[in-house]
Amino acid sequence: MTTLTKYVEVEYLWLDGRKPNAGIRSKTKIIKGPVTKLKDIPEWGFDGSSTEQAEGRFSDCRLIPVFLLPDPLRGAPHLLVLCEVYQANGDVHPSNTRAELRAIAKKYQTAGAWFGIEQEYTLFQNGRPLGFPKVGFPGPQGPYYCGVGTENIVGRDLVEEHMEACLKAGIELSGINAEVMPGQWEFQVGPVGPLAVADQLWVARWLLERLGEDHDMSVSYAPKPVKGDWNGAGAHTNFSTKAMRASGGLKHIKVACEKLKRKHHEHIAVYGAGNEERLTGKHETCSINEFRYGVSDRGASIRIPMATANDGKGYLEDRRPAANMDPYQVCAVLMKTICGN
Ligand code: ADP
Ligand code: MN
Ligand code: MN
Ligand code: MN
């Protein structure tokens, strides 16, 4: 008989090379424990020709572990580890958008940037949004947002399971809510620093899709999952710097809004594919061709929350990012525009 050895199942997660939206992939490595820190997790590799990250002839890509957390699904001692992708020659892979955010976060470290991201998503089953009948449509929007009762709510089991899993993993959720369209939900990550919010958001997305398997539901981040008089799905990105959070911070928020105005198109370019279907000027959005900011204005590009205006300090909410955005790119462009000159 051999003695009992603690094997640790480590799920390696990484972003693939799909366009226009990267997805998340994962595979399991069995490691002989104990594992306590990132340095204990070995580098690994994968076949990039199967993830749109390499040609068949030079297919090896490298997985460099960067963010380690407990696996809330398999339980202790098992782990999840988010990785950056590198090429075999040691260069950062072009699909590795985290590398740029890493550099920008370092450059503007003293700004003390915090992000809170509201991730909206739509659950699907059998090719229809959850709660939509096989033919036709549910009753019009109105009772679903933050609703209760079986006539208004679908998918809550999965949503609750996902929240518990995120918290067990140490993901810093600030809340969840049912959204305006049936089958649409939201969770919020943060406020935390740029790399933390983006890393945690990607792992939270993976957990959601993974748990969806158990419920036979898929997760869509499409900005406009149903055409017509149905709300789209966004990823409002709330942002502050140390100066914005301090006394007199409102003037820094207004300066930031003026900077954002000048860079509107540069931002829209990384705020998610298909976002023009969502940013129409209806359904609590501002048209993609306009830039406006205002206090409490849910029809603006940037909303300054009421409490921030009243306190004279706080944060701003960029309402433009779509649900399918890459948080590494969104956080990077926000820091570049607002923290740079
Ligand atoms: P709403 O739905 O009213 O737009 P939510 O409550 O869904 O707002 O989301 C607000 C987000 O703002 C949360 O993710 C929260 O963590 C974040 N947040 C709060 N304070 C700050 C701050 N000072 N800087 C950045 N983000 C913040
Ligand atoms: Mn919200
Ligand atoms: Mn919302
Ligand atoms: Mn919001």
Side-chain angles (χ1 to χ4, degrees), residues 112-117 172 189-198 200 238 240 331:
W114 288 359
F115 289 86
I117 299 180
E172 291 159 280
V189 179
V192 291
L195 280 172
V197 82
Q200 291 184 25
N238 300 272
S240 64
C331 292

Side-chain angles (χ1 to χ4, degrees), residues 256-277:
C257 290
E258 289 298 330
K259 287 180 171 175
L260 289 167
K261 183 178 185 170
R262 294 198 290 272
K263 297 280 169 72
H264 179 62
H265 298 287
E266 208 175 295
H267 281 249
I268 289 296
V270 295
Y271 277 10
N275 206 8
E276 67 284 351
E277 292 181 47

Side-chain angles (χ1 to χ4, degrees), residues 247-292:
S247 170
L250 191 57
K251 70 170 182 291
H252 295 281
I253 292 174
K254 289 188 173 154
V255 170
C257 290
E258 289 298 330
K259 287 180 171 175
L260 289 167
K261 183 178 185 170
R262 294 198 290 272
K263 297 280 169 72
H264 179 62
H265 298 287
E266 208 175 295
H267 281 249
I268 289 296
V270 295
Y271 277 10
N275 206 8
E276 67 284 351
E277 292 181 47
R278 165 179 166 262
L279 296 181
T280 56
K282 288 189 205 152
H283 305 111
E284 305 169 55
T285 70
C286 183
S287 158
I288 199 165
N289 301 312
E290 271 179 63
F291 178 94
R292 283 188 290 119

Side-chain angles (χ1 to χ4, degrees), residues 11-12 14 47 73 85 155 228 290 318:
E11 194 73 8
Y12 283 62
W14 74 94
D47 168 15
L73 307 183
V85 176
E290 271 179 63
D318 191 340

Side-chain angles (χ1 to χ4, degrees), residues 118 186 236 238 298 303 317 319:
E118 306 168 47
E186 169 179 315
H236 297 166
N238 300 272
R298 288 179 190 268
R303 177 175 68 106
E317 177 191 44
R319 301 177 59 79

Side-chain angles (χ1 to χ4, degrees), residues 35-201:
V35 176
T36 55
K37 53 190 185 305
L38 194 59
K39 285 221 156 51
D40 299 331
I41 307 290
E43 272 188 42
W44 204 13
F46 67 97
D47 168 15
S49 69
S50 301
T51 59
E52 297 178 39
Q53 282 162 307
E55 302 290 328
R57 287 195 308 145
F58 307 101
S59 64
D60 282 351
C61 291
R62 293 168 65 187
L63 290 174
I64 310 295
V66 292
F67 176 44
L68 183 65
L69 59 180
D71 183 339
L73 307 183
R74 290 172 172 153
H78 309 301
L79 299 165
L80 306 176
V81 69
L82 184 67
C83 300
E84 280 191 28
V85 176
Y86 278 69
Q87 287 172 329
N89 68 4
D91 290 348
V92 167
H93 194 278
S95 66
N96 178 353
T97 50
R98 188 181 190 275
E100 194 201 356
L101 180 61
R102 195 155 35 76
I104 287 170
K106 193 168 169 201
K107 180 169 179 189
Y108 298 117
Q109 194 171 13
T110 54
W114 288 359
F115 289 86
I117 299 180
E118 306 168 47
Q119 175 70 66
E120 294 178 343
Y121 59 93
T122 311
L123 297 173
F124 271 73
Q125 199 162 45
N126 302 320
R128 297 278 285 165
L130 195 65
F132 277 54
K134 274 206 188 87
V135 287
F137 294 91
Q141 294 183 160
Y144 311 117
Y145 170 75
C146 298
V148 65
T150 187
E151 68 279 28
N152 295 322
I153 290 296
V154 285
R156 200 190 291 276
D157 281 1
L158 167 59
V159 169
E160 293 276 324
E161 228 176 274
H162 175 250
M163 176 175 70
E164 295 305 327
C166 285
L167 295 175
K168 260 197 202 166
I171 291 171
E172 291 159 280
L173 290 191
S174 69
I176 62 168
N177 62 267
E179 271 301 338
V180 176
M181 189 181 95
Q184 213 169 58
W185 290 85
E186 169 179 315
F187 63 87
Q188 303 109 28
V189 179
V192 291
L195 280 172
V197 82
D199 287 347
Q200 291 184 25
L201 184 63

